[in-house]
Amino acid sequence: MVRLGPHGVQVLSSVVSTQFAQHAPYGGVVPEIAARAHVEVIDVVIDQAMVEAGAGYGDLDGVAATAGPGLVGGVMVGLSAGKAIALARGLPLVAVNHLEGHAVSARLSEAVDYPFLLLLVSGGHCQLLSVEGVGVCRRLGSTIDDAAGEAFDKIAKALGLPYPGGPAREKLAATGDGSRFVLPRALLGRDGFDFSFSGLKTAAARLAEGLTADQAHCEQDRADLAAAVQSAIARQLAERTARAMAAYAREREGRSLRFVVAGGVAANGAVRAALTKVAAEHGFAFFAPSLAYCTDNAAMIALAGAERLAAGLKDGLDAPARPRWPHASPTLLR
Ligand code: KG4
Ligand code: ZN
């Protein structure tokens, strides 16, 4: 639950229930398990959010729920719960795009004014966006194959790390030498602002499988490979973002420049460090959500909903759950 006030955003509660344990035996998300797990916890999570915020239903001005994109079983559960509250209490409903939640997530902890250049890096997406205002955003580039988080997860699995393994993988990489393994450098110096991680993912996963199959290889080899993967991903994100920064700065001609990195991969220290550096080099103020708001959370969806509501944007109770839902149109920036 969030409150939009004259002095900025206040997060009253943000309850996150994870299902990692249920999916872990399968090494990835199983759609049927995900949908069932949502039904089991939704009421408890909503109750807990109300208790932690110290609020009752009468204190609400509106209800925001994610309407996509994503596995539609879970999305339907959350959206139906949001609709039920809106209907029962006579409140406006805002159907929020999950990516718009990530786009506003840095605004939960710091004042980040619009417009800004956004790198959204999560398990399913890797996009560079020009965010112009509430719900207004243009896509400058995106991955042509896998998302950065997907590459991280696949390689972590090949290294024998538990799913989803973000922090575990970062810890392993911290003790490694990233220069030992040479990995493909996709799209280096190429025009445009797209990304590609599938070559890196396949090459590193093959190396990782070799290391884990051969008992003679030690922990150090795994750490070196984890470090090489992390720096290769951070390097590509920084290189492609630097190109977009240069073009965006030309387009904005001397006006203030802000850069935001958001999404689960923005929790990674090496990724943050590489992007902090290119932002400074290109004259951009750098912003990233606090760690708790990088990975999926309730507060970012509530904030996206509250901002939409304040701008007079709301949805009908017939708002559909959408497995696919592009939230930005492509644009040309040269
Ligand atoms: O935004 P998010 O929570 O969910 C999606 O919308 O996809 O992002 C999850 C992704 C996963 O691929 C996870 O491995 C990655 O974020 N991630 C990390 C770290 N923490 C989470 N990747 C690298 N380093 C981390 N510390
Ligand atoms: Zn997400």
Side-chain angles (χ1 to χ4, degrees), residues 126-158:
C126 183
Q127 303 183 338
L128 275 161
L129 301 147
S130 169
V131 182
E132 285 152 26
V134 177
V136 187
C137 145
R138 295 180 298 146
R139 193 173 66 242
L140 310 178
S142 60
T143 180
I144 56 172
D145 40 54
D146 300 323
E150 208 174 325
F152 262 133
D153 293 339
K154 174 81 193 287
I155 298 158
K157 190 174 174 187

mmCIF file of all heavy atoms in Angstrom, residues 126-158:
data_model
loop_
_atom_site.group_PDB
_atom_site.id
_atom_site.type_symbol
_atom_site.label_atom_id
_atom_site.label_comp_id
_atom_site.label_asym_id
_atom_site.label_seq_id
_atom_site.Cartn_x
_atom_site.Cartn_y
_atom_site.Cartn_z
ATOM 1 N N CYS A 126 14.506 -7.191 -21.218
ATOM 2 C CA CYS A 126 15.704 -6.365 -21.227
ATOM 3 C C CYS A 126 15.432 -5.274 -22.264
ATOM 4 O O CYS A 126 15.449 -5.543 -23.464
ATOM 5 C CB CYS A 126 16.928 -7.195 -21.604
ATOM 6 S SG CYS A 126 18.433 -6.234 -21.533
ATOM 7 N N GLN A 127 15.115 -4.073 -21.789
ATOM 8 C CA GLN A 127 14.678 -3.005 -22.692
ATOM 9 C C GLN A 127 15.285 -1.671 -22.291
ATOM 10 O O GLN A 127 15.469 -1.407 -21.101
ATOM 11 C CB GLN A 127 13.152 -2.814 -22.602
ATOM 12 C CG GLN A 127 12.340 -4.049 -22.898
ATOM 13 C CD GLN A 127 10.834 -3.765 -22.868
ATOM 14 O OE1 GLN A 127 10.378 -2.814 -22.257
ATOM 15 N NE2 GLN A 127 10.074 -4.611 -23.539
ATOM 16 N N LEU A 128 15.547 -0.831 -23.289
ATOM 17 C CA LEU A 128 15.891 0.572 -23.044
ATOM 18 C C LEU A 128 14.680 1.398 -23.435
ATOM 19 O O LEU A 128 14.144 1.233 -24.544
ATOM 20 C CB LEU A 128 17.099 0.972 -23.891
ATOM 21 C CG LEU A 128 18.455 0.652 -23.260
ATOM 22 C CD1 LEU A 128 19.547 0.640 -24.306
ATOM 23 C CD2 LEU A 128 18.797 1.632 -22.134
ATOM 24 N N LEU A 129 14.217 2.249 -22.522
ATOM 25 C CA LEU A 129 12.981 2.994 -22.741
ATOM 26 C C LEU A 129 13.177 4.468 -22.427
ATOM 27 O O LEU A 129 13.939 4.815 -21.517
ATOM 28 C CB LEU A 129 11.881 2.440 -21.813
ATOM 29 C CG LEU A 129 11.547 0.959 -21.994
ATOM 30 C CD1 LEU A 129 11.155 0.336 -20.665
ATOM 31 C CD2 LEU A 129 10.424 0.782 -22.994
ATOM 32 N N SER A 130 12.466 5.286 -23.156
ATOM 33 C CA SER A 130 12.409 6.697 -22.828
ATOM 34 C C SER A 130 11.074 6.895 -22.105
ATOM 35 O O SER A 130 10.012 6.753 -22.708
ATOM 36 C CB SER A 130 12.462 7.508 -24.120
ATOM 37 O OG SER A 130 12.167 8.845 -23.840
ATOM 38 N N VAL A 131 11.140 7.149 -20.795
ATOM 39 C CA VAL A 131 9.913 7.285 -20.000
ATOM 40 C C VAL A 131 9.598 8.776 -19.900
ATOM 41 O O VAL A 131 10.373 9.545 -19.332
ATOM 42 C CB VAL A 131 10.073 6.664 -18.601
ATOM 43 C CG1 VAL A 131 8.779 6.778 -17.805
ATOM 44 C CG2 VAL A 131 10.489 5.203 -18.720
ATOM 45 N N GLU A 132 8.471 9.170 -20.478
ATOM 46 C CA GLU A 132 8.199 10.608 -20.604
ATOM 47 C C GLU A 132 7.259 11.141 -19.542
ATOM 48 O O GLU A 132 7.252 12.339 -19.251
ATOM 49 C CB GLU A 132 7.663 10.884 -22.009
ATOM 50 C CG GLU A 132 8.808 10.822 -23.018
ATOM 51 C CD GLU A 132 8.414 10.416 -24.414
ATOM 52 O OE1 GLU A 132 7.256 10.624 -24.792
ATOM 53 O OE2 GLU A 132 9.295 9.879 -25.124
ATOM 54 N N GLY A 133 6.465 10.278 -18.953
ATOM 55 C CA GLY A 133 5.513 10.700 -17.928
ATOM 56 C C GLY A 133 4.692 9.489 -17.517
ATOM 57 O O GLY A 133 5.007 8.373 -17.911
ATOM 58 N N VAL A 134 3.646 9.742 -16.739
ATOM 59 C CA VAL A 134 2.815 8.637 -16.247
ATOM 60 C C VAL A 134 2.202 7.874 -17.424
ATOM 61 O O VAL A 134 1.435 8.442 -18.203
ATOM 62 C CB VAL A 134 1.697 9.172 -15.326
ATOM 63 C CG1 VAL A 134 0.793 8.044 -14.860
ATOM 64 C CG2 VAL A 134 2.300 9.912 -14.144
ATOM 65 N N GLY A 135 2.591 6.625 -17.556
ATOM 66 C CA GLY A 135 2.033 5.765 -18.615
ATOM 67 C C GLY A 135 2.470 6.126 -20.026
ATOM 68 O O GLY A 135 1.922 5.601 -20.990
ATOM 69 N N VAL A 136 3.459 7.001 -20.161
ATOM 70 C CA VAL A 136 3.912 7.391 -21.515
ATOM 71 C C VAL A 136 5.364 6.999 -21.685
ATOM 72 O O VAL A 136 6.242 7.531 -21.002
ATOM 73 C CB VAL A 136 3.797 8.915 -21.756
ATOM 74 C CG1 VAL A 136 4.117 9.233 -23.222
ATOM 75 C CG2 VAL A 136 2.429 9.420 -21.375
ATOM 76 N N CYS A 137 5.589 6.073 -22.593
ATOM 77 C CA CYS A 137 6.939 5.564 -22.699
ATOM 78 C C CYS A 137 7.211 5.023 -24.096
ATOM 79 O O CYS A 137 6.327 4.496 -24.753
ATOM 80 C CB CYS A 137 6.981 4.589 -21.563
ATOM 81 S SG CYS A 137 7.752 3.176 -21.477
ATOM 82 N N ARG A 138 8.428 5.274 -24.596
ATOM 83 C CA ARG A 138 8.824 4.817 -25.940
ATOM 84 C C ARG A 138 9.954 3.805 -25.801
ATOM 85 O O ARG A 138 10.857 4.006 -24.989
ATOM 86 C CB ARG A 138 9.326 5.994 -26.780
ATOM 87 C CG ARG A 138 8.270 7.038 -27.076
ATOM 88 C CD ARG A 138 8.863 8.164 -27.923
ATOM 89 N NE ARG A 138 9.941 8.875 -27.238
ATOM 90 C CZ ARG A 138 11.009 9.389 -27.837
ATOM 91 N NH1 ARG A 138 11.175 9.243 -29.134
ATOM 92 N NH2 ARG A 138 11.924 10.031 -27.149
ATOM 93 N N ARG A 139 9.894 2.763 -26.608
ATOM 94 C CA ARG A 139 10.938 1.735 -26.522
ATOM 95 C C ARG A 139 12.037 2.041 -27.521
ATOM 96 O O ARG A 139 11.792 2.168 -28.708
ATOM 97 C CB ARG A 139 10.342 0.353 -26.780
ATOM 98 C CG ARG A 139 11.284 -0.769 -26.392
ATOM 99 C CD ARG A 139 10.640 -2.146 -26.485
ATOM 100 N NE ARG A 139 10.317 -2.514 -27.850
ATOM 101 C CZ ARG A 139 9.098 -2.755 -28.315
ATOM 102 N NH1 ARG A 139 8.072 -2.675 -27.517
ATOM 103 N NH2 ARG A 139 8.893 -3.081 -29.567
ATOM 104 N N LEU A 140 13.262 2.137 -27.022
ATOM 105 C CA LEU A 140 14.405 2.453 -27.885
ATOM 106 C C LEU A 140 15.094 1.184 -28.369
ATOM 107 O O LEU A 140 15.639 1.144 -29.465
ATOM 108 C CB LEU A 140 15.421 3.318 -27.127
ATOM 109 C CG LEU A 140 14.853 4.556 -26.417
ATOM 110 C CD1 LEU A 140 15.945 5.284 -25.662
ATOM 111 C CD2 LEU A 140 14.213 5.496 -27.428
ATOM 112 N N GLY A 141 15.094 0.167 -27.530
ATOM 113 C CA GLY A 141 15.741 -1.085 -27.908
ATOM 114 C C GLY A 141 15.335 -2.179 -26.944
ATOM 115 O O GLY A 141 14.825 -1.903 -25.856
ATOM 116 N N SER A 142 15.539 -3.440 -27.361
ATOM 117 C CA SER A 142 15.229 -4.548 -26.449
ATOM 118 C C SER A 142 16.058 -5.754 -26.879
ATOM 119 O O SER A 142 16.726 -5.714 -27.900
ATOM 120 C CB SER A 142 13.737 -4.881 -26.476
ATOM 121 O OG SER A 142 13.360 -5.250 -27.761
ATOM 122 N N THR A 143 15.978 -6.818 -26.090
ATOM 123 C CA THR A 143 16.783 -7.981 -26.449
ATOM 124 C C THR A 143 16.200 -8.645 -27.695
ATOM 125 O O THR A 143 14.973 -8.697 -27.860
ATOM 126 C CB THR A 143 16.909 -8.973 -25.288
ATOM 127 O OG1 THR A 143 17.716 -10.067 -25.746
ATOM 128 C CG2 THR A 143 15.554 -9.489 -24.836
ATOM 129 N N ILE A 144 17.099 -9.132 -28.556
ATOM 130 C CA ILE A 144 16.610 -9.816 -29.754
ATOM 131 C C ILE A 144 16.454 -11.312 -29.487
ATOM 132 O O ILE A 144 15.964 -12.045 -30.320
ATOM 133 C CB ILE A 144 17.539 -9.569 -30.965
ATOM 134 C CG1 ILE A 144 18.982 -9.990 -30.666
ATOM 135 C CG2 ILE A 144 17.498 -8.114 -31.381
ATOM 136 C CD1 ILE A 144 19.906 -9.939 -31.889
ATOM 137 N N ASP A 145 16.891 -11.770 -28.317
ATOM 138 C CA ASP A 145 16.693 -13.185 -27.974
ATOM 139 C C ASP A 145 16.334 -13.334 -26.492
ATOM 140 O O ASP A 145 15.180 -13.204 -26.126
ATOM 141 C CB ASP A 145 17.910 -14.044 -28.381
ATOM 142 C CG ASP A 145 19.241 -13.360 -28.118
ATOM 143 O OD1 ASP A 145 19.459 -12.934 -26.974
ATOM 144 O OD2 ASP A 145 20.068 -13.262 -29.047
ATOM 145 N N ASP A 146 17.317 -13.594 -25.621
ATOM 146 C CA ASP A 146 17.004 -13.826 -24.197
ATOM 147 C C ASP A 146 17.142 -12.545 -23.382
ATOM 148 O O ASP A 146 17.873 -11.640 -23.750
ATOM 149 C CB ASP A 146 17.987 -14.849 -23.611
ATOM 150 C CG ASP A 146 17.907 -16.180 -24.325
ATOM 151 O OD1 ASP A 146 16.795 -16.573 -24.697
ATOM 152 O OD2 ASP A 146 18.961 -16.808 -24.507
ATOM 153 N N ALA A 147 16.465 -12.532 -22.210
ATOM 154 C CA ALA A 147 16.653 -11.443 -21.255
ATOM 155 C C ALA A 147 17.936 -11.718 -20.456
ATOM 156 O O ALA A 147 18.368 -12.871 -20.348
ATOM 157 C CB ALA A 147 15.459 -11.362 -20.322
ATOM 158 N N ALA A 148 18.527 -10.661 -19.891
ATOM 159 C CA ALA A 148 19.760 -10.832 -19.119
ATOM 160 C C ALA A 148 19.529 -11.771 -17.914
ATOM 161 O O ALA A 148 20.355 -12.639 -17.620
ATOM 162 C CB ALA A 148 20.278 -9.476 -18.647
ATOM 163 N N GLY A 149 18.382 -11.604 -17.236
ATOM 164 C CA GLY A 149 18.084 -12.433 -16.066
ATOM 165 C C GLY A 149 17.953 -13.903 -16.434
ATOM 166 O O GLY A 149 18.367 -14.797 -15.683
ATOM 167 N N GLU A 150 17.377 -14.133 -17.621
ATOM 168 C CA GLU A 150 17.202 -15.502 -18.122
ATOM 169 C C GLU A 150 18.586 -16.149 -18.327
ATOM 170 O O GLU A 150 18.795 -17.315 -17.980
ATOM 171 C CB GLU A 150 16.510 -15.359 -19.476
ATOM 172 C CG GLU A 150 15.662 -16.466 -19.940
ATOM 173 C CD GLU A 150 14.954 -16.020 -21.242
ATOM 174 O OE1 GLU A 150 14.590 -14.824 -21.381
ATOM 175 O OE2 GLU A 150 14.788 -16.882 -22.115
ATOM 176 N N ALA A 151 19.522 -15.375 -18.891
ATOM 177 C CA ALA A 151 20.887 -15.883 -19.110
ATOM 178 C C ALA A 151 21.543 -16.170 -17.765
ATOM 179 O O ALA A 151 22.125 -17.251 -17.555
ATOM 180 C CB ALA A 151 21.697 -14.859 -19.897
ATOM 181 N N PHE A 152 21.407 -15.253 -16.822
ATOM 182 C CA PHE A 152 21.941 -15.451 -15.471
ATOM 183 C C PHE A 152 21.386 -16.748 -14.863
ATOM 184 O O PHE A 152 22.122 -17.561 -14.307
ATOM 185 C CB PHE A 152 21.517 -14.283 -14.566
ATOM 186 C CG PHE A 152 22.559 -13.209 -14.383
ATOM 187 C CD1 PHE A 152 22.226 -11.869 -14.506
ATOM 188 C CD2 PHE A 152 23.873 -13.528 -14.038
ATOM 189 C CE1 PHE A 152 23.170 -10.859 -14.314
ATOM 190 C CE2 PHE A 152 24.819 -12.533 -13.841
ATOM 191 C CZ PHE A 152 24.472 -11.200 -13.981
ATOM 192 N N ASP A 153 20.061 -16.934 -14.976
ATOM 193 C CA ASP A 153 19.406 -18.092 -14.340
ATOM 194 C C ASP A 153 19.837 -19.406 -14.979
ATOM 195 O O ASP A 153 20.074 -20.399 -14.285
ATOM 196 C CB ASP A 153 17.879 -17.952 -14.422
ATOM 197 C CG ASP A 153 17.365 -16.799 -13.580
ATOM 198 O OD1 ASP A 153 18.079 -16.369 -12.662
ATOM 199 O OD2 ASP A 153 16.248 -16.322 -13.842
ATOM 200 N N LYS A 154 19.938 -19.413 -16.317
ATOM 201 C CA LYS A 154 20.304 -20.640 -17.028
ATOM 202 C C LYS A 154 21.737 -21.064 -16.642
ATOM 203 O O LYS A 154 22.010 -22.235 -16.395
ATOM 204 C CB LYS A 154 20.179 -20.375 -18.531
ATOM 205 C CG LYS A 154 20.650 -21.495 -19.433
ATOM 206 C CD LYS A 154 19.583 -22.569 -19.578
ATOM 207 C CE LYS A 154 20.089 -23.857 -20.194
ATOM 208 N NZ LYS A 154 20.364 -23.828 -21.598
ATOM 209 N N ILE A 155 22.632 -20.092 -16.576
ATOM 210 C CA ILE A 155 24.028 -20.405 -16.272
ATOM 211 C C ILE A 155 24.154 -20.825 -14.804
ATOM 212 O O ILE A 155 24.907 -21.748 -14.476
ATOM 213 C CB ILE A 155 24.941 -19.211 -16.619
ATOM 214 C CG1 ILE A 155 24.858 -18.934 -18.128
ATOM 215 C CG2 ILE A 155 26.381 -19.468 -16.202
ATOM 216 C CD1 ILE A 155 25.247 -17.542 -18.541
ATOM 217 N N ALA A 156 23.382 -20.179 -13.941
ATOM 218 C CA ALA A 156 23.395 -20.563 -12.520
ATOM 219 C C ALA A 156 22.965 -22.022 -12.365
ATOM 220 O O ALA A 156 23.555 -22.786 -11.596
ATOM 221 C CB ALA A 156 22.465 -19.655 -11.728
ATOM 222 N N LYS A 157 21.952 -22.408 -13.130
ATOM 223 C CA LYS A 157 21.451 -23.789 -13.073
ATOM 224 C C LYS A 157 22.553 -24.743 -13.535
ATOM 225 O O LYS A 157 22.805 -25.779 -12.894
ATOM 226 C CB LYS A 157 20.223 -23.899 -13.973
ATOM 227 C CG LYS A 157 19.474 -25.202 -13.815
ATOM 228 C CD LYS A 157 18.197 -25.157 -14.643
ATOM 229 C CE LYS A 157 17.492 -26.494 -14.622
ATOM 230 N NZ LYS A 157 16.347 -26.534 -15.535
ATOM 231 N N ALA A 158 23.232 -24.375 -14.638
ATOM 232 C CA ALA A 158 24.317 -25.226 -15.149
ATOM 233 C C ALA A 158 25.472 -25.308 -14.155
ATOM 234 O O ALA A 158 26.202 -26.295 -14.110
ATOM 235 C CB ALA A 158 24.802 -24.688 -16.492
#
